[in-house]
Amino acid sequence: MQKIKIQNKIFNKGITLLERDGDTAKLRMAAEGAGLLLPELIDCQERYVSFYIEACENHSVVLALRVYVKDSGKGPAFDVQFGILPGVRTPICIDRNWMDGHVLFPEAGVGQLKQVCHGRRVVQEEIEQIVLETLPVFHDFTLKITDIVLSEEYPSFKPLAGGKMVDEFGQNKQKMWSSKVKDLSELKEILQKQEAENRTEYPFGDWSVFGGWKLKKLGEETGYFTKYKADGKWFLADPSGYAFFSVGPDCVGLRADCRVDGVEKWLDWLPDQAEPEYRKMFRKTKGWSTEEKAGRNGLLFSYSQANLYRALGKNWYPLWQKMITGQLRRFGMNTLGNWSDERLFGTTEMPYVMSLPEFPGTSRMIFRDFPDVFSEEYTREAKRCAAALKPRKNDPLMIGYFLRNEPNWAFVNNLVLADEVLYNIERTECKEELIRFLKEKYGEITELNKAYHSVLEDFDDFYQPRQNVSHWSEEARKDMREFSRRMLQAYVEIPCRECRKVDSNHMILGMRWAWVSDPDLVTGWENFDVFSINCYSVDPTVNIQNIVDLGVDLPVMIGEFHFGALDAGLTATGLEGVASQRDRGAAYRYYCERVAAHAFGVGCHYFQCYDQFVLGRFDGENYNIGLFDICSQPYTEMVKSVQECSRSLYLVKDGQQSPTEEKAVSIPMIAF
């Protein structure tokens, strides 16, 4: 075990030492980001890096342990980003084994917010510098951090400090804002008024019952949602044949998602799990991975459900079903987005999208969640997973289904899948197929050695792990790229084929890629009806156009986007930060109208319907991103802009009106 003292000689940039008290340093950090140099981490043998850290502010702070390698340019090759709550002395432990790239979302420790690993695998020999950095914020801020400890064994931490942080409604107790619910009588008044005033119709007379545009008929009635291309523009059409632009929130539901295990002392109120009224409002989760020492058996609770029950009584759920769909229609939203409560599907007359409940996997994976796609097991699993579509195959309200969401393996920019096949110690079917491919192309190992600048004795040498084969030579790069495209084609084509056998009525909406991390990621696009990405930006135009420029001739749908601010109860903005609730509305309209203005844009789904929990959801995200807060109150300034946007969407899509030019005031995101 060794200790790294927080002192001036390890300050990289933007740090002022304010004071030191024992093993704790109080630091002033520059708004643009600041860093601590940690050369001891480059050659150390210890596995774990641990310390305590506290943000002396009223908002969360994001940090990253960043690994820079030789000859890699300015950016880090790998980093671990993590968030912390304000005013909490938070224990942090980072596992150096994460640098091998096997994990994307390590489970956060008790009291910590989400953490995520970005970048590619790095090995010790290539590391040039390791820095603990703060990410940019909108002002200089203060941190307290203890000396950093390196240890081979997982550290033990002191119990979290006491003090109440969350009130009986799940709101931030340490902050005031204009719409904060003060007591139970006020909550009852708010929600009972919403229930009494609820209406179910769209506010626009030229919208169809499905939310399509009756002023543009694209084709005959088909009974299902479909796609059309007219005059170089892609459109969706509703079952009656009217033009349809899909807009609505993800996660329209009240799932138990407030992580409460280990932080019970911070809560004003948490009912006993045995109480019959609240028993079903709890959910238990197991630790994410037995390999992760921070693995926890999670306990989650739904304050949103409890608030509705306390305000509306035992009949709260059917009342909520009518309320939420009526409110969304009134805002001008026509779609229940991904991960919405399935009990709303087909019972509320609201169109919806869904995901295949399970994407096919294999017992031996290639890298993270990329399966052994040339195995019989993959085809067999694709058939089994596709069978889940059968119950809804005749539902006219289903727009279509996504195959999955944000594959973890694709979070590595320019990942060469064939490299991962050859690095993986497993003798997978993909490895057998790759070696067969190389034998057919080169015949003799001497010919491959000439092309690859290698000294292999036999093709069987590829059964032993080989690192970064695509870097060996230009011919090696071309071969590995070609075989990776074959893998991607099978990855997409096989489940699509099995899904269409079960459900030929509904559109396949793609994979919801987190971003297009490599040009070859669009391989297999012709198997989809719609190409989907999640796109967190101010303006998605460039991202949509990139897909088109890569040769995809399909409608493009955005599966996720959002904007968050710090002027309500939450301490983090989400992946796009803005200055206020009004700016959230302006940003929403600016974004949606630019999707509509693009010739290939056919929809965008806002992530998400409700705010996240102030102490973090299941994985530690705690963003102000909802259309509604945890007490089911709509953010009035935002939903006003949502309705104004919906009033214009079809005119913008049809080219009769230009998208709005009003932009929000952006701030650096606080997100993890």
Side-chain angles (χ1 to χ4, degrees):
M1 187 173 79
Q2 59 176 306
K3 184 177 284 190
I4 303 172
K5 187 175 181 179
I6 306 300
Q7 53 188 325
N8 288 320
K9 71 176 186 178
I10 69 169
F11 296 172
N12 185 23
K13 58 176 182 178
I15 301 180
T16 302
L17 177 62
L18 300 179
E19 62 179 270
R20 187 173 173 89
D21 182 9
D23 67 349
T24 302
K26 187 174 184 180
L27 309 174
R28 191 67 176 169
M29 317 297 282
E32 60 269 20
L36 301 172
L37 296 169
L38 303 175
E40 293 88 346
L41 269 62
I42 298 175
D43 299 317
C44 76
Q45 300 304 308
E46 291 89 350
R47 177 175 175 178
Y48 297 104
V49 182
S50 62
F51 50 92
Y52 291 90
I53 191 164
E54 178 181 348
C56 305
E57 304 293 339
N58 63 1
H59 58 76
S60 294
V61 168
V62 189
L63 298 97
L65 186 72
R66 289 186 157 157
V67 181
Y68 297 83
V69 301
K70 299 158 189 173
D71 303 320
S72 68
K74 292 183 179 180
F78 174 89
D79 71 24
V80 183
Q81 293 185 18
F82 58 92
I84 58 173
L85 290 162
V88 174
R89 189 172 186 263
T90 307
I92 302 294
C93 181
I94 295 171
D95 188 342
R96 293 177 69 250
N97 284 354
W98 296 340
M99 294 182 193
D100 71 3
H102 74 281
V103 63
L104 177 61
F105 298 115
E107 185 159 22
V110 176
Q112 182 188 343
L113 297 174
K114 185 178 181 179
Q115 54 189 4
V116 56
C117 297
H118 293 277
R120 65 168 178 84
R121 177 190 304 113
V122 295
V123 295
Q124 194 167 33
E125 295 73 27
E126 64 177 330
I127 298 175
E128 183 173 61
Q129 189 179 69
I130 299 181
V131 186
L132 180 63
E133 298 182 351
T134 58
L135 271 62
V137 194
F138 57 95
H139 65 100
D140 293 352
F141 63 98
T142 301
L143 286 179
K144 291 180 181 178
I145 182 169
T146 63
D147 293 339
I148 296 170
V149 175
L150 309 181
S151 62
E152 182 57 32
E153 299 298 322
Y154 190 83
S156 59
F157 291 109
K158 297 176 183 177
L160 295 170
K164 299 300 184 184
M165 299 176 64
V166 177
D167 70 14
E168 63 177 305
F169 308 116
Q171 300 175 118
N172 187 347
K173 191 172 182 178
Q174 300 181 328
K175 192 175 177 183
M176 287 300 301
W177 62 100
S178 60
S179 60
K180 186 175 183 178
V181 172
K182 310 299 189 300
D183 53 40
L184 183 57
S185 62
E186 183 183 13
L187 179 69
K188 288 181 176 181
E189 181 182 351
I190 290 168
L191 294 181
Q192 289 172 6
K193 182 179 180 183
Q194 284 186 25
E195 193 273 327
E197 295 178 349
N198 190 47
R199 300 192 305 276
T200 59
E201 67 276 2
Y202 291 114
F204 316 122
D206 56 2
W207 280 31
S208 74
V209 293
F210 297 102
W213 194 36
K214 292 188 290 187
L215 300 184
K216 192 174 187 71
K217 186 88 167 178
L218 293 170
E220 295 304 311
E221 181 174 335
T222 64
Y224 297 98
F225 286 87
T226 188
K227 65 182 190 292
Y228 285 91
K229 194 174 188 182
D231 300 324
K233 286 186 178 183
W234 276 109
F235 294 87
L236 298 184
D238 72 14
S240 299
Y242 296 119
F244 183 85
F245 188 89
S246 181
V247 61
D250 293 317
C251 306
V252 183
L254 301 167
R255 193 176 184 211
D257 209 22
C258 302
R259 189 86 187 244
V260 295
D261 57 288
V263 296
E264 292 89 345
K265 67 173 71 175
W266 291 349
L267 311 174
D268 266 355
W269 176 77
L270 184 69
D272 191 297
Q273 296 178 59
E275 290 186 50
E277 301 95 326
Y278 299 105
R279 186 174 63 250
K280 293 183 179 180
M281 299 180 190
F282 284 92
R283 180 166 62 98
K284 294 182 179 180
T285 63
K286 293 183 178 180
W288 296 8
S289 169
T290 56
E291 299 176 11
E292 304 300 333
K293 300 293 185 180
R296 301 151 56 191
N297 290 325
L299 181 65
L300 298 103
F301 179 66
S302 177
Y303 278 99
S304 295
Q305 289 185 37
N307 289 336
L308 284 158
Y309 167 72
R310 295 172 74 192
L312 301 178
K314 292 182 179 180
N315 200 41
W316 70 268
Y317 181 75
L319 293 176
W320 169 79
Q321 285 184 304
K322 293 178 181 178
M323 282 170 56
I324 189 62
T325 51
Q327 287 169 313
L328 294 179
R329 283 194 186 92
R330 194 162 69 252
F331 301 160
M333 291 180 151
N334 59 14
T335 303
L336 301 173
N338 212 34
W339 305 296
S340 292
D341 185 343
E342 292 190 11
R343 291 172 292 179
L344 297 171
F345 298 170
T347 62
T348 60
E349 302 303 315
M350 190 91 172
Y352 63 91
V353 297
M354 58 175 283
S355 280
L356 196 65
E358 184 183 358
F359 188 81
T362 52
S363 54
R364 296 183 300 184
M365 295 298 219
I366 302 303
F367 174 69
R368 293 183 181 170
D369 55 354
F370 193 93
D372 191 3
V373 293
F374 293 128
S375 68
E376 292 182 2
E377 182 186 10
Y378 184 62
T379 300
R380 194 166 59 246
E381 282 295 289
K383 184 175 182 178
R384 182 186 65 81
C385 293
L389 296 170
K390 189 175 181 180
R392 301 193 185 280
K393 70 175 186 176
N394 296 320
D395 189 351
L397 289 168
M398 186 164 88
I399 298 166
Y401 55 91
F402 302 102
L403 291 180
R404 64 171 310 171
N405 180 68
E406 297 188 347
N408 287 1
W409 61 266
F411 274 70
V412 180
N413 284 327
N414 302 309
L415 179 73
V416 181
L417 286 165
D419 277 354
E420 298 305 319
V421 171
L422 296 177
Y423 182 80
N424 191 327
I425 196 170
E426 295 279 2
R427 195 158 173 162
T428 60
E429 290 302 317
C430 283
K431 185 174 288 189
E432 298 286 0
E433 193 67 26
L434 176 50
I435 292 172
R436 188 158 39 247
F437 163 73
L438 295 175
K439 284 180 178 179
E440 289 175 358
K441 179 170 183 177
Y442 292 101
E444 301 292 335
I445 193 65
T446 53
E447 294 302 310
L448 182 141
N449 282 333
K450 289 178 186 177
Y452 281 26
H453 304 161
S454 57
V455 289
L456 301 175
E457 295 183 2
D458 191 271
F459 285 102
D460 285 356
D461 287 357
F462 282 117
Y463 286 118
Q464 299 303 312
R466 304 287 169 178
Q467 186 169 348
N468 296 332
V469 173
S470 66
H471 295 185
W472 291 6
S473 72
E474 179 60 19
E475 285 303 311
R477 185 191 69 79
K478 291 178 181 178
D479 289 347
M480 295 303 109
R481 280 286 183 179
E482 180 181 342
F483 192 80
S484 296
R485 287 191 290 272
R486 294 187 185 188
M487 292 173 67
L488 276 166
Q489 188 71 33
Y491 178 73
V492 172
E493 186 176 276
I494 291 170
C496 284
R497 182 175 65 234
E498 296 302 325
C499 286
R500 291 208 192 274
K501 289 178 183 177
V502 176
D503 181 359
S504 60
N505 295 325
H506 294 106
M507 294 185 290
I508 298 178
L509 304 178
M511 295 275 188
R512 296 171 61 97
W513 301 108
W515 68 92
V516 180
S517 56
D518 185 271
D520 287 341
L521 211 63
V522 303
T523 300
W525 65 265
E526 63 278 359
N527 292 280
F528 304 143
D529 296 290
V530 173
F531 195 92
S532 57
I533 58 169
N534 297 339
C535 179
Y536 290 94
S537 65
V538 173
D539 182 346
T541 304
V542 171
N543 305 77
I544 298 173
Q545 188 59 42
N546 179 50
I547 295 165
V548 178
D549 292 343
L550 290 171
V552 176
D553 189 13
L554 285 177
V556 177
M557 180 180 287
I558 307 295
E560 295 178 22
F561 73 103
H562 66 217
F563 302 94
L566 297 172
D567 59 345
L570 283 299
T571 64
T573 64
L575 294 167
E576 283 292 335
V578 294
S580 67
Q581 299 305 310
R582 183 186 177 282
D583 287 293
R584 289 181 66 212
Y588 172 94
R589 183 175 182 183
Y590 188 89
Y591 188 105
C592 290
E593 292 190 10
R594 270 152 185 76
V595 176
H598 195 284
F600 284 58
V602 296
C604 47
H605 300 159
Y606 183 82
F607 189 85
Q608 56 184 31
C609 191
Y610 293 90
D611 273 343
Q612 294 170 334
F613 183 45
V614 64
L615 300 184
R617 66 172 190 177
F618 70 93
D619 63 354
E621 285 186 9
N622 71 334
Y623 306 156
N624 165 230
I625 51 175
L627 300 174
F628 299 84
D629 66 18
I630 201 165
C631 294
S632 294
Q633 296 183 101
Y635 286 101
T636 54
E637 290 178 294
M638 180 168 187
V639 298
K640 180 182 178 183
S641 289
V642 170
Q643 189 180 76
E644 291 171 352
C645 174
S646 294
R647 192 183 306 277
S648 302
L649 275 176
Y650 285 117
L651 294 173
V652 173
K653 181 62 189 170
D654 202 42
Q656 298 182 40
Q657 180 175 311
S658 298
T660 180
E661 294 296 332
E662 182 186 357
K663 297 182 74 171
V665 176
S666 293
I667 62 172
M669 72 173 187
I670 300 176
F672 359 95

